[in-house]
Amino acid sequence: MAQSIYTAEALKAELNSKGCRMTPQREKILKAFQELPEGEHLSAEDLYHKLQAQNENISLSTIYRTVKMMARMGILRELELAEDHKHYELNQPRPHHHHHLICVKTNKVIEFKNDQVLSISQKVAEKYGFQVLDCELRIVGISPEGQRSIF
Amino acid sequence: MAQSIYTAEALKAELNSKGCRMTPQREKILKAFQELPEGEHLSAEDLYHKLQAQNENISLSTIYRTVKMMARMGILRELELAEDHKHYELNQPRPHHHHHLICVKTNKVIEFKNDQVLSISQKVAEKYGFQVLDCELRIVGISPEGQRSIF
DNA sequence: CTGTGTGCAAAGAATTTGCACCAAA
DNA sequence: TTTGGTGCAAATTCTTTGCACACAG
């Protein structure tokens, strides 16, 4: 099952099985996400700077290529929050998925968890023969602060 | 309640109450979405071409400005499907919200409905004092076809 | 009239791509 | 040695913005 591959060795094996290669860059990117506290997520740019701060010079192009690849492998989950760029985080095994409550006016984002959502997703995916990599309930609305503003 | 404003008159009233104005462009954009079959959605570009085809020349800028505004008013829902641009559709009253099952490999999108998701959303939003405009369960995974492809 | 909305063209931001060189397997 | 990966810079794509003119209230 793809979503529990977290060691560098396992990543290498997974890559090789697809005719792809392990590289220092890929290993460091994986490590960066593993070191991230639960609930945090990075944009490509964030990751780039985080690595720079650790004296790891990996180009932005490689980062974009790698995170997209890892998302397709089910290692990372790709989040679309209110901003206009994607964020990534490790795709946790089933019980840790979390969801988002987003304000259209203030762009405020609240995270929450919910087990029912997970089982619903599982059931729906099964019906269509899909293998679930990720599920996310996005509730879009207006926060208390937003309700006060005219526009 | 914002989400049931569908007539041009109601839109006008809603706009005026906020110091905004009704325009032919806004009316035509609303109409375009109303004519859309249930379950279909348009990108800004799609909408632009659809209007062109009806000999309605509305600029892309106006379209972008208008759909974003209508989404913030709760008239349209903004969808982030697998592609890298947003799609819009009329925001149906509660029981019609639908959700998406998306394949990361083939970009195939399947729509489905689920009442439980709706009540979960309502409950969560209430807890944080949010007014719900829209909710969407996004299940990301690999379709049967995708499972066959190497990458 | 007053100020909001529109169209145009230009600017921006995020992401992707072509290509020469580098390095896993 | 072969083929996939990386870095760089340029190109794309989607979206936003400044400004002059048009028009709704």
Side-chain angles (χ1 to χ4, degrees):
Chain A
M1 189 111 271
Q3 60 226 63
S4 40
I5 298 174
Y6 293 133
T7 68
E9 288 69 33
L11 173 59
K12 180 176 192 309
E14 176 79 1
L15 287 167
N16 290 350
S17 80
K18 291 190 158 60
C20 300
R21 295 170 184 175
M22 183 52 136
T23 65
Q25 288 89 337
R26 289 174 182 174
E27 186 167 347
K28 280 163 195 152
I29 289 172
L30 176 63
K31 190 149 129 304
F33 279 107
Q34 289 172 327
E35 290 169 351
L36 209 61
E38 157 94 46
E40 287 198 26
H41 27 67
L42 303 173
S43 65
E45 200 86 28
D46 293 337
L47 178 54
Y48 179 67
H49 290 120
K50 184 180 161 69
L51 290 165
Q52 293 259 307
Q54 302 171 2
N55 284 307
E56 306 289 4
N57 279 68
I58 299 180
S59 75
L60 250 185
S61 323
T62 296
I63 289 179
Y64 273 109
R65 282 187 282 235
T66 305
V67 293
K68 175 165 273 191
M69 174 192 221
M70 289 184 173
R72 306 229 291 184
M73 292 171 73
I75 296 174
L76 298 180
R77 61 192 300 226
E78 192 176 84
L79 304 171
E80 322 250 14
L81 305 180
E83 306 102 85
D84 53 0
H85 54 270
K86 292 171 184 153
H87 280 231
Y88 296 86
E89 64 185 14
L90 270 190
N91 196 14
Q92 299 290 350
R94 319 252 250 83
H96 298 96
H97 283 286
H98 47 260
H99 310 290
H100 298 94
L101 181 54
I102 302 163
C103 175
V104 269
K105 294 202 177 175
T106 64
N107 274 0
K108 180 181 176 185
V109 178
I110 293 173
E111 299 202 338
F112 64 94
K113 296 189 180 188
N114 188 298
D115 291 338
Q116 279 181 79
V117 172
L118 206 58
S119 65
I120 293 171
S121 300
Q122 207 62 42
K123 218 176 302 168
V124 174
E126 212 164 278
K127 175 170 169 191
Y128 293 100
F130 273 56
Q131 174 191 338
V132 178
L133 292 178
D134 181 27
C135 71
E136 181 202 2
L137 175 57
R138 292 164 52 81
I139 307 173
V140 179
I142 304 177
S143 65
E145 305 80 58
Q147 289 170 32
R148 274 176 239 121
S149 76
I150 318 152
F151 201 77
Chain B
M1 187 110 273
Q3 62 227 63
S4 42
I5 299 175
Y6 293 134
T7 68
E9 287 69 32
L11 174 59
K12 179 174 191 311
E14 175 78 2
L15 286 167
N16 291 351
S17 79
K18 291 189 157 59
C20 299
R21 294 168 184 175
M22 183 52 137
T23 65
Q25 289 88 338
R26 288 173 182 174
E27 185 165 348
K28 279 164 195 152
I29 289 172
L30 176 64
K31 190 149 129 304
F33 280 106
Q34 289 171 327
E35 289 169 352
L36 208 60
E38 156 95 45
E40 286 199 26
H41 26 69
L42 303 173
S43 65
E45 200 87 27
D46 293 340
L47 178 54
Y48 179 68
H49 291 121
K50 184 179 160 70
L51 289 166
Q52 292 261 307
Q54 302 172 2
N55 283 308
E56 305 290 4
N57 279 67
I58 300 181
S59 74
L60 249 186
S61 325
T62 294
I63 288 179
Y64 273 109
R65 282 187 281 237
T66 306
V67 293
K68 175 166 273 192
M69 173 193 222
M70 289 184 172
R72 307 228 291 184
M73 292 172 72
I75 296 174
L76 298 181
R77 62 193 299 227
E78 193 176 83
L79 304 171
E80 321 252 13
L81 304 179
E83 306 103 87
D84 54 358
H85 55 270
K86 292 171 183 153
H87 280 231
Y88 296 85
E89 64 184 14
L90 270 191
N91 196 14
Q92 300 289 349
R94 318 252 251 85
H96 298 94
H97 281 287
H98 50 260
H99 310 289
H100 299 93
L101 181 53
I102 302 163
C103 176
V104 268
K105 294 199 176 176
T106 63
N107 275 0
K108 181 180 175 185
V109 177
I110 293 173
E111 300 203 337
F112 63 95
K113 295 188 181 188
N114 188 298
D115 292 337
Q116 280 181 77
V117 172
L118 206 58
S119 63
I120 293 171
S121 301
Q122 207 62 43
K123 218 177 303 169
V124 174
E126 215 163 276
K127 175 171 167 192
Y128 293 99
F130 273 57
Q131 174 191 339
V132 178
L133 292 178
D134 180 26
C135 72
E136 182 204 2
L137 174 57
R138 292 164 47 82
I139 307 174
V140 178
I142 304 177
S143 64
E145 305 80 57
Q147 289 169 31
R148 274 176 238 121
S149 77
I150 319 154
F151 203 77

